[in-house]
Amino acid sequence: MYYTDVLNIIFGLCVLYHTLPAVDSVRWLALAKMTSIGSIDSEDHCDSLYGFVKRQKKLCRKNLEIMDNVKVGALVAIEECQSQFKNRRWNCSTADNKKLFGNVILKQGTREAAFVHAISSAGVAHSVTRACSSGTLQKCGCDRTVRGRSKEGFEWSGCSDNVDYGMAFSKAFVDAREKGKKRKNSGRALMNLHNNEAGRKAVDANMKVDCKCHGVSGSCEMRTCWKAMPSFKKVGEILKEKFDGATEVKHQVKGTRNELVPLNPQFKRHTESDLVYMVASPDFCEADKKTGSLGTHGRICNRTSKAIDGCELLCCGRGYRTRIVTVVERCMCKFLWCCYVKCKECERKVEEHTCL
Amino acid sequence: MGGVVLENLSNKKLSILAVSLLLILIVFFLIGGLIAPAPSNVMNMVTTKCHDITVDVKPKSWYIPRGPAGCDAVDDFDDPIIYQKHVDTRMIVFALWIPYPRDHKQLDMSRWFQNMLTVLQMDIEHRPTNPILENATMKMEVRLGYRNKNDNETDWKELISTSINRPLHCEINGTKNGEQYKCDLVSFFELGSVHYDYYLINLRLPVYPQKPTNQGLGTIKDIWIITIFQNGGFTKVWFALKTTMFPVVLTILVWFWRRIKLLSREPNLLERTLLALGIVLSIMNCPVEWFTIWFDLPWMTIVTDVRQGAFYATLMSFWMIFAGEHIMDSIPKNSLSRYKIHLSLVVFGCLCLFIFEMCEKGMQLANPFYTIWVTETGAHLALAFIILAGMAACTYFLFLSYMIFKVFRNISAKKTALPRMSNIRRKFYMGLIFRFKFLMVLTLLCAALTTIFFIISQVSEGQWKWGDEGISLEYSSAFLTGVYGMWNVYVIGLLSLYAPSHKQYTNADINNSDGSQEEEVQLTQIPTENSALSSYVTKEAED
């Protein structure tokens, strides 16, 4: 009795130890699904937030005003993920408001997990940078890394680019989950850290440099350049490309070096901006609690397509059902550059195919 | 009386002078590179989209993007609230408060920034139902306001309120829904002085019923406003340089002119040109910009540009006259009228640039949003002026090269004749040749340095770093201070080396002291063959 108990406890601890690091490293994304419309406005609120680790709660308390932007970042990340994957078997749907993507992301180091990590860290960086640019955040820093020694600061040499702060905050907040002592060196933590960084790189490396000449009579004797952030759609597209070309890696400990190396030694080593994964993805055909797959039953497919969104592939060969549905659409609108426009409502009959 | 200081200086003294001038130049370069920050800085800000409920109320109040009096902001035009509240284009105000807050403090603009210009970056999404039409033009209603730190939060005062047209040039690769257009930057406004602490922009893109304005602009997501201003640190360093250089050049100028006044003859053309060059440089150096720290002087930028232009024009005229006065032929010299064509070229070129400058910056004094480039005719006109100025510059350089070629041809001709000349004439010609060659080398060196620096500053990232200790060189600042210092040093060198020497030609070469009296030659006036001959004859006779 006593023996088995001890064994059980040890076993349990081991399981905990092994699952904890992998579990819920993007749990904070649940922020996006926070039901209350109100913002995170008190320090107590930070402690009650679901899915935050200690370090993140601390960051939350210290940077209350930024948390709304983190939330926006999580939201746009999920939206973009769903838009990029809308035609695939795994469509980034968030069935569970707390666990969001289910076990597929939380427990296993699949390609999909890699993508979710990358896009969420990119989302935070993007949204915080944007907030800094709009002036709504009081907290964004003004340090000039070069010539920061001047006390006069802004008057002497202006402020650094907004993106520096966005990147730094994303790094501090998103990576916080992997920084615990226990998990520091696990393979999965390394993978997450790498993919988080790759996500931020997708924002940083795709900044567009614009220049303006403003010397005497508009000559280029004086020229000033700045970086413009790519749209988040663009970031999503880039990460989707990285997803398609992701590298399968394994964890390797060599002396003090603790790193991820390509599983196939003949493959070229991944760069900082590439996505990496450790476990091959399931086929996502059938719902499976263990993997977190939702299955493709009932998904709408495209009969004419031969690609992954075609009924053949999406329904995993199970066949599909066709029915005629009437949709009500806004039509004959006169669109302007924004806002409310007057439209008519039209009814249209369309064929809809759903997987069996 | 003899030639200029340059000829009578021993090699040792000359090299000491050259080295010290070079050191001064390096100091200028390093001041720019190590002390000053980059010449200008940029703030890339996104406007806040305010919801204006009082569409038909006039006069319009200010829409402030943040703070206690902040407006009712819309995050995204796709927000369902837009549809619920029937918000239309007339109810949207893009508001921006310059500058942004940082580290929990609302920053404020400084008068040290001197000038500020803004451009718009449009964030436009492609939707198949609403693409950007060709020749799309934005008709913006803008209001620019200002406030000082101690003023009441809502007490914004109006600088200008106007309506402006800006063409929209955008491209797109795909035709996918939601793809972003690549749009050219849209010039916005330019201020010649940054006198107030805060600036507020309220921008509208209204579409009025039954009017064709602001149609086919695509789906605008955001408007970014990029603000470029001169760094305060750079201004301070620049002022410091000007304030030190002004008295230095002025002193040397006074010394130079006193030297000339001491002569028994009238100053010749070259000396007068040098004096003019010194005066124009002093005017350029004169640090009147200090007044901008206390007064609102938006025209100061124009004055600075004009002063700089005047200096370069004088410098070019000087080169022309210098080369012309050293052509050793028998045409009478020493009169400005001889250079009528050449000088009119310089004046014409400068006039073209001046008119262009006045059309752009001059008009901006009245309306900061004015730019000559947005209208078709305006752009053609501006281009025409610039091309004319460029042509004048090309012709000028052709003329100059031809003159220099002539000088060199005559030099080689004179060189073969040198041994046969009388001592004094030989000395005169050798002095002439040396003076000319010295200036040639010096000028070419300066011009080459300017060009090289300029090219590097265009190619490089603007900042160089050595090692990990963070020693970095701000190259674009170094270029500006370096070039400024170089032309100052150049003029100082000219003034001191080409001033008349007080040393007399020793009479050892000329046995006859009376002869020296007769053979007294002006700086660049070559005695005609006749007079030389006659003096020779008198000499013979005396002997």
Side-chain angles (χ1 to χ4, degrees):
Chain A
M1 244 345 237
Y2 176 75
Y3 236 96
T4 42
D5 261 352
V6 169
L7 265 180
N8 260 341
I9 289 168
I10 290 175
F11 183 66
L13 274 178
C14 279
V15 168
L16 253 176
Y17 180 75
H18 276 283
T19 48
L20 249 184
V23 162
D24 66 13
S25 23
V26 281
R27 279 240 165 121
W28 61 272
L29 274 176
L31 198 59
K33 297 281 167 179
M34 216 172 73
T35 42
S36 59
I37 300 160
S39 52
I40 302 157
D41 46 11
S42 73
E43 294 194 3
D44 301 333
H45 204 151
C46 289
D47 295 321
S48 64
L49 286 171
Y50 176 81
F52 277 37
V53 291
K54 219 174 179 179
R55 221 176 262 256
Q56 284 175 325
K57 282 180 182 163
K58 207 171 139 194
L59 268 169
C60 169
R61 280 195 295 273
K62 267 170 83 183
N63 303 283
L64 266 180
E65 56 158 9
I66 305 182
M67 293 321 288
D68 275 340
N69 301 106
V70 174
K71 187 178 162 184
V72 172
L75 210 61
V76 293
I78 291 171
E79 263 173 28
E80 188 53 38
C81 175
Q82 285 172 352
S83 128
Q84 291 294 336
F85 283 84
K86 66 171 182 280
N87 293 331
R88 298 180 63 107
R89 286 182 188 159
W90 180 76
N91 64 355
C92 206
S93 62
T94 49
D96 186 330
N97 263 357
K98 282 194 167 175
K99 274 181 160 175
L100 293 180
F101 306 106
N103 289 338
V104 70
I105 302 309
L106 302 179
K107 287 220 172 95
Q108 289 168 320
T110 55
R111 261 177 208 260
E112 284 76 15
F115 183 84
V116 169
H117 275 273
I119 198 131
S120 56
S121 98
V124 172
H126 197 271
S127 115
V128 172
T129 304
R130 217 194 104 91
C132 283
S133 311
S134 74
T136 46
L137 280 187
Q138 299 275 322
K139 238 202 126 170
C140 305
C142 178
D143 65 323
R144 271 267 151 208
T145 36
V146 192
R147 230 173 293 292
R149 60 194 143 95
S150 155
K151 265 195 212 144
E152 281 147 291
F154 179 63
E155 186 185 284
W156 182 264
S157 59
C159 282
S160 55
D161 210 318
N162 298 312
V163 77
D164 299 346
Y165 188 79
M167 292 291 157
F169 186 81
S170 166
K171 201 178 173 68
F173 183 82
V174 180
D175 288 1
R177 293 216 154 242
E178 323 297 340
K179 290 284 163 76
K181 258 185 202 154
K182 273 190 213 160
R183 48 194 328 167
K184 214 172 180 178
N185 296 321
S186 80
R188 181 65 205 276
L190 283 178
M191 173 189 147
N192 290 348
L193 282 176
H194 178 95
N195 292 327
N196 289 348
E197 186 60 30
R200 288 187 290 267
K201 275 263 151 38
V203 179
D204 199 27
N206 291 289
M207 303 279 267
K208 194 169 136 255
V209 176
D210 277 317
C211 292
K212 168 97 184 157
C213 290
H214 54 101
V216 179
S217 303
S219 67
C220 282
E221 177 197 10
M222 294 259 230
R223 199 175 60 147
T224 306
C225 295
W226 64 91
K227 290 195 278 186
M229 240 194 340
S231 67
F232 201 65
K233 185 140 206 94
K234 175 108 188 151
V235 175
E237 273 165 24
I238 290 157
L239 286 176
K240 177 71 196 317
E241 269 168 40
K242 299 280 179 198
F243 170 87
D244 292 331
T247 318
E248 186 166 7
V249 292
K250 62 172 189 248
H251 185 209
Q252 196 178 58
V253 184
K254 227 184 216 169
T256 50
R257 289 234 322 267
N258 199 351
E259 56 179 9
L260 299 173
V261 290
L263 194 63
N264 187 339
Q266 281 164 345
F267 283 0
K268 216 174 77 198
R269 217 188 129 80
H270 50 272
T271 65
E272 264 192 326
S273 55
D274 287 328
L275 296 187
V276 296
Y277 65 100
M278 296 168 89
V279 181
S281 305
D283 62 7
F284 296 107
C285 281
E286 297 299 327
D288 183 356
K289 266 257 161 73
K290 217 178 86 209
T291 60
S293 161
L294 294 168
T296 59
H297 296 278
R299 287 273 301 277
I300 294 169
C301 61
N302 182 352
R303 199 174 57 173
T304 50
S305 169
K306 289 265 170 267
I308 187 72
D309 63 330
C311 290
E312 192 66 29
L313 285 170
L314 192 70
C315 305
C316 307
R318 293 185 306 258
Y320 55 91
R321 185 188 296 136
T322 304
R323 60 182 182 142
I324 308 282
V325 286
T326 337
V327 287
V328 180
E329 282 181 333
R330 291 156 56 80
C331 62
M332 316 219 333
C333 308
K334 191 168 178 340
F335 285 108
L336 295 170
W337 59 264
C338 94
C339 309
Y340 176 78
V341 278
K342 281 202 178 101
C343 294
K344 282 187 178 153
E345 286 195 341
C346 310
E347 276 189 5
R348 202 156 59 96
K349 284 196 164 71
V350 285
E351 273 190 342
E352 195 186 75
H353 315 284
T354 44
C355 290
L356 285 170
Chain B
M1 285 300 275
V4 298
V5 174
L6 175 65
E7 292 157 60
N8 293 324
L9 226 50
S10 67
N11 278 344
K12 197 177 149 197
K13 276 185 185 161
L14 192 66
S15 48
I16 288 173
L17 192 78
V19 167
S20 48
L21 287 183
L22 196 71
L23 278 179
I24 295 174
L25 187 61
I26 291 170
V27 167
F28 267 101
F29 193 80
L30 289 182
I31 285 175
L34 296 178
I35 299 173
S40 52
N41 206 345
V42 64
M43 283 190 288
N44 191 357
M45 302 172 76
V46 62
T47 51
T48 303
K49 293 163 282 212
C50 291
H51 179 194
D52 168 17
I53 26 173
T54 59
V55 177
D56 296 317
V57 178
K58 289 200 174 153
K60 290 276 172 220
S61 57
W62 289 103
Y63 287 84
I64 306 162
R66 56 177 178 272
C71 70
D72 193 3
V74 179
D75 282 335
D76 192 343
F77 291 138
D78 289 333
D79 201 320
I81 216 144
I82 296 275
Y83 272 89
Q84 282 161 24
K85 289 192 177 171
H86 285 214
V87 176
D88 74 12
T89 53
R90 287 174 301 164
M91 301 180 196
I92 295 294
V93 183
F94 293 92
L96 186 72
W97 174 350
I98 300 172
Y100 37 42
R102 279 289 176 272
D103 298 319
H104 285 300
K105 264 201 331 244
Q106 171 63 47
L107 298 175
D108 54 289
M109 300 299 273
S110 159
R111 289 181 185 177
W112 290 101
F113 290 168
Q114 299 287 297
N115 55 60
M116 149 171 139
L117 76 100
T118 53
V119 283
L120 300 182
Q121 172 79 62
M122 308 297 294
D123 231 351
I124 302 178
E125 210 176 80
H126 175 77
R127 296 209 179 142
T129 50
N130 185 25
I132 295 186
L133 299 180
E134 218 159 295
N135 296 328
T137 302
M138 295 185 286
K139 190 176 174 66
M140 298 186 260
E141 288 174 10
V142 286
R143 249 182 121 196
L144 180 63
Y146 65 86
R147 177 165 84 80
N148 279 325
K149 252 190 286 191
N150 302 324
D151 294 349
N152 201 328
E153 189 83 27
T154 52
D155 190 18
W156 292 90
K157 290 171 208 73
E158 186 173 279
L159 209 61
I160 188 168
S161 168
T162 180
S163 169
I164 52 171
N165 287 314
R166 293 284 189 269
L168 191 60
H169 300 289
C170 295
E171 276 176 29
I172 193 159
N173 289 332
T175 46
K176 256 193 282 172
N177 192 20
E179 191 103 348
Q180 204 172 10
Y181 281 98
K182 284 191 189 77
C183 292
D184 287 355
L185 298 169
V186 179
S187 62
F188 201 42
F189 71 85
E190 204 167 339
L191 289 178
S193 68
V194 186
H195 192 67
Y196 306 103
D197 290 335
Y198 308 133
Y199 289 86
L200 180 66
I201 299 165
N202 275 186
L203 189 161
R204 290 160 190 271
L205 272 169
V207 182
Y208 296 109
Q210 276 91 47
K211 270 192 194 169
T213 47
N214 290 330
Q215 306 275 355
L217 300 180
T219 307
I220 297 177
K221 304 294 290 178
D222 268 313
I223 298 181
W224 292 73
I225 296 185
I226 292 113
T227 314
I228 299 170
F229 55 88
Q230 188 166 313
N231 266 329
F234 182 79
T235 313
K236 284 174 188 172
V237 170
W238 193 251
F239 281 15
L241 288 183
K242 278 191 145 185
T243 315
T244 18
M245 283 327 279
F246 178 59
V248 171
V249 173
L250 208 62
T251 317
I252 290 172
L253 192 65
V254 169
W255 170 83
F256 172 79
W257 196 240
R258 278 187 51 187
R259 266 283 167 91
I260 286 169
K261 280 281 159 203
L262 282 178
L263 296 175
S264 50
R265 59 173 172 82
E266 283 290 299
N268 64 31
L269 178 63
L270 205 57
E271 283 159 353
R272 276 179 283 147
T273 321
L274 257 178
L275 178 78
L277 188 64
I279 290 172
V280 176
L281 179 71
S282 295
I283 293 173
M284 184 174 93
N285 280 345
C286 184
V288 284
E289 288 95 333
W290 279 106
F291 288 111
T292 56
I293 304 303
W294 298 283
F295 307 104
D296 185 16
L297 309 169
W299 40 265
M300 195 53 97
T301 358
I302 301 178
V303 173
T304 308
D305 286 355
V306 168
R307 285 189 298 170
Q308 196 180 339
F311 170 71
Y312 284 112
T314 322
L315 194 64
M316 282 163 123
S317 313
F318 167 76
W319 287 335
M320 199 58 113
I321 291 168
F322 188 87
E325 295 291 291
H326 283 77
I327 297 177
M328 287 158 275
D329 52 14
S330 44
I331 302 162
K333 303 216 164 47
N334 208 13
S335 115
L336 201 61
S337 54
R338 231 190 117 227
Y339 301 98
K340 252 187 266 164
I341 310 163
H342 314 83
L343 294 185
S344 58
L345 259 177
V346 176
V347 170
F348 176 74
C350 288
L351 213 63
C352 283
L353 286 180
F354 178 72
I355 293 171
F356 168 73
E357 173 96 2
M358 285 317 284
C359 284
E360 178 85 3
K361 291 230 169 118
M363 290 298 282
Q364 276 166 2
L365 287 181
N367 177 5
F369 290 94
Y370 179 86
T371 166
I372 195 167
W373 296 103
V374 284
T375 58
E376 194 110 340
T377 34
H380 285 320
L381 205 70
L383 219 57
F385 276 126
I386 289 174
I387 289 170
L388 276 179
M391 270 158 55
C394 283
T395 331
Y396 166 84
F397 277 107
L398 281 178
F399 256 122
L400 189 64
S401 332
Y402 174 66
M403 268 177 146
I404 290 169
F405 164 75
K406 245 163 101 182
V407 174
F408 272 110
R409 203 187 50 194
N410 286 350
I411 282 177
S412 53
K414 279 282 164 351
K415 260 191 183 154
T416 49
L418 270 181
R420 276 176 285 126
M421 286 180 189
S422 70
N423 251 337
I424 189 119
R425 275 179 71 80
R426 188 163 68 221
K427 200 133 196 174
F428 172 78
Y429 276 120
M430 272 163 64
L432 214 59
I433 291 167
F434 177 58
R435 261 164 13 209
F436 182 77
K437 283 194 168 167
F438 184 82
L439 187 96
M440 236 356 240
V441 171
L442 198 68
T443 310
L444 281 181
L445 199 75
C446 287
L449 276 179
T450 312
T451 327
I452 292 166
F453 285 165
F454 180 71
I455 291 168
I456 296 172
S457 74
Q458 293 298 302
V459 174
S460 76
E461 287 281 293
Q463 210 171 64
W464 289 348
K465 257 189 182 170
W466 285 296
D468 300 326
E469 295 91 70
I471 304 168
S472 66
L473 186 75
E474 197 59 61
Y475 189 82
S476 36
S477 295
F479 161 71
L480 290 170
T481 54
V483 168
Y484 172 75
M486 188 172 70
W487 292 116
N488 263 293
V489 165
Y490 180 85
V491 174
I492 290 173
L494 288 188
L495 285 176
S496 49
L497 290 175
Y498 286 74
S501 169
H502 55 55
K503 275 186 197 158
Q504 305 253 323
Y505 277 134
T506 47
N507 287 350
D509 304 331
I510 316 149
N511 288 331
N512 198 324
S513 57
D514 294 357
S516 79
Q517 279 289 321
E518 263 171 87
E519 284 222 335
E520 179 180 299
V521 279
Q522 286 203 356
L523 196 66
T524 55
Q525 227 165 355
I526 308 157
T528 54
E529 285 307 307
N530 256 347
S531 72
L533 203 70
S534 61
S535 71
Y536 181 72
V537 170
T538 33
K539 245 195 283 181
E540 285 287 279
E542 274 174 13
D543 281 343

